[in-house]
Amino acid sequence: FFENACLRGASGWGGTGAMSHNCSAYTPFEMLGTLKHHKHLFLVNEAFWNATSSILLTFQRMQGAWGSIPVISSHLLHYWEAMPAGTLRYPQDIRFLIGSFPALFGTTAGADLQSWARQRGWILVWALGANTGSDSSSMNFDLIGENISLTMNRRLLDPAVTSASSAASSMNLTADTISSFEKSWADVKSARKLGRKMSPAMWQRQWNVIVANVPELLLMPLKGGDCNRAQDAPECIGVSQAGSCVCYTEPVHMESSELVV
């Protein structure tokens, strides 16, 4: 955002409303942080955005129970963007995939996503997202101009995919768990075949059914200090509702010669 709005002066990058900003509040390459040293960035971020203050809500979300505090849609741009000090390699540095529940669940493309994750040994997570009825395969910038509360941090592990990965031992994925999940998949697939228009309320109900039947699949995002591991150990990608770390036991990528095409 800073590069386009402040350095390039590109049109369409705001100046009023929720995207109103103060370019002088940030000095490139000086106001940076690390995973261990970042507290100063709260005030830098607060000063950059003119329209609304999000710092109070940010601390409420950090201190409250997981997913208990909604996000105001006008704050969606107030996130911190990571700048890795290195090269991200594909596929070695991919740790898990996130699929849009409204856009892909119960579809052929969703099944292809499952197959791709299995082939690579990745975990697949389904996310309900903002669930506003818009095209959830891309960012809905219209939300930024509104002032609605969005329930966040809604992720579900795909048990069939996870059971095929080296992280399977992190979860108690029983046959009943997988069967219940696959029934929900079949129900949504049937509804799509009938040409039924799935409203946000219907997606919410379907999501609630899965959560009620298999709450153990709910996944909390990984936060600093959640899962202490040896530096050379395969990574964790989240924490289950029971408080268990969901971690790989082996490296998650395969060499290109091992891939089935």
Side-chain angles (χ1 to χ4, degrees):
F1 186 96
F2 181 87
E3 181 180 353
N4 284 285
C6 300
L7 299 184
R8 296 180 180 177
S11 61
W13 285 85
T16 61
M19 296 177 71
S20 176
H21 53 276
N22 175 15
C23 292
S24 64
Y26 175 72
T27 303
F29 304 111
E30 291 186 13
M31 294 178 173
L32 300 176
T34 67
L35 291 176
K36 289 186 177 181
H37 305 283
H38 59 262
K39 294 179 181 178
H40 58 287
L41 295 180
F42 287 108
L43 294 179
V44 174
N45 189 64
E46 180 76 359
F48 183 81
W49 298 104
N50 289 333
T52 57
S53 172
S54 60
I55 192 167
L56 176 60
L57 184 61
T58 297
F59 279 96
Q60 286 178 327
R61 295 188 70 220
M62 290 169 60
Q63 297 302 317
W66 172 69
S68 63
I69 307 296
V71 170
I72 307 302
S73 58
S74 58
H75 294 176
L76 288 176
L77 267 184
H78 297 193
Y79 63 91
W80 296 357
E81 196 162 84
M83 237 177 19
T87 301
L88 296 180
R89 301 163 301 166
Y90 175 85
Q92 295 95 321
D93 294 328
I94 303 296
R95 291 299 172 260
F96 66 102
L97 304 179
I98 301 178
S100 167
F101 189 76
L104 296 174
F105 195 82
T107 68
T108 300
D112 289 342
L113 185 64
Q114 290 177 314
S115 296
W116 185 37
R118 286 193 193 95
Q119 183 190 49
R120 293 289 189 179
W122 293 328
I123 290 173
L124 173 60
V125 174
W126 294 99
L128 183 58
N131 192 31
T132 59
S134 61
D135 180 10
S136 54
S137 63
S138 58
M139 174 62 183
N140 179 12
F141 282 93
D142 291 338
L143 284 175
I144 299 171
E146 301 178 18
N147 193 36
I148 58 178
S149 294
L150 301 172
T151 302
M152 307 299 284
N153 291 344
R154 293 181 287 187
R155 293 180 177 182
L156 280 171
L157 280 171
D158 188 309
V161 174
T162 302
S163 63
S165 74
S166 72
S169 59
S170 298
M171 301 286 295
N172 182 25
L173 298 174
T174 66
D176 288 342
T177 297
I178 296 176
S179 176
S180 179
F181 182 87
E182 291 181 340
K183 181 181 183 305
S184 292
W185 180 281
D187 290 343
V188 172
K189 183 177 180 180
S190 297
R192 290 186 188 273
K193 282 187 175 180
L194 294 173
R196 187 179 302 169
K197 176 66 174 178
M198 302 285 281
S199 67
M202 293 175 68
W203 282 119
Q204 183 65 64
R205 285 196 296 270
Q206 187 61 53
W207 181 271
N208 291 343
V209 168
I210 300 179
V211 170
N213 291 337
V214 282
E216 62 269 25
L217 296 182
L218 283 171
L219 183 73
M220 294 182 284
L222 192 65
K223 296 183 296 184
D226 280 345
C227 304
N228 293 319
R229 309 257 291 173
Q231 188 173 359
D232 59 349
E235 292 91 338
C236 305
I237 61 97
V239 180
S240 72
Q241 285 292 90
S244 300
C245 292
V246 180
C247 310
Y248 294 103
T249 59
E250 300 174 5
V252 298
H253 73 280
M254 297 185 293
E255 298 301 327
S256 57
S257 61
E258 299 175 296
L259 296 179
V260 177
V261 179

